[in-house]
Amino acid sequence: MGWAVTGTLLSGMAVWGGVGWLIDQWLDTRVFFPGGIILGVAVAIYVVFKTYGEPDPAPGRIAGHPPGGRRSRPRTQKGQR
């Protein structure tokens, strides 16, 4: 998983930095290359969080339930005990 995260970050920087460099060459500016790298890192971090965001629960635990948490009372009809 570590290599996948590293590859995603590096490829995001390379692709969007390359797009920024091409725009800089086309318009004869020096603004879009660093902006493309920053945009690439931001998009790559978003992709990493969407893909690997929440870790798997520990063995024996149910996802979404806090350990030792209070459970809600069962719902009953009014007047029943």
Side-chain angles (χ1 to χ4, degrees), residues 2-18 36-37 40-45 48:
W3 286 108
V5 170
T6 303
T8 302
L9 290 171
L10 289 176
S11 64
M13 287 174 40
V15 168
W16 289 104
I37 290 177
V41 169
V43 169
I45 289 172
V48 166

Side-chain angles (χ1 to χ4, degrees), residues 54-58 61-66:
E54 188 173 325
D56 295 331
R61 290 214 173 143
I62 301 172
H65 295 287

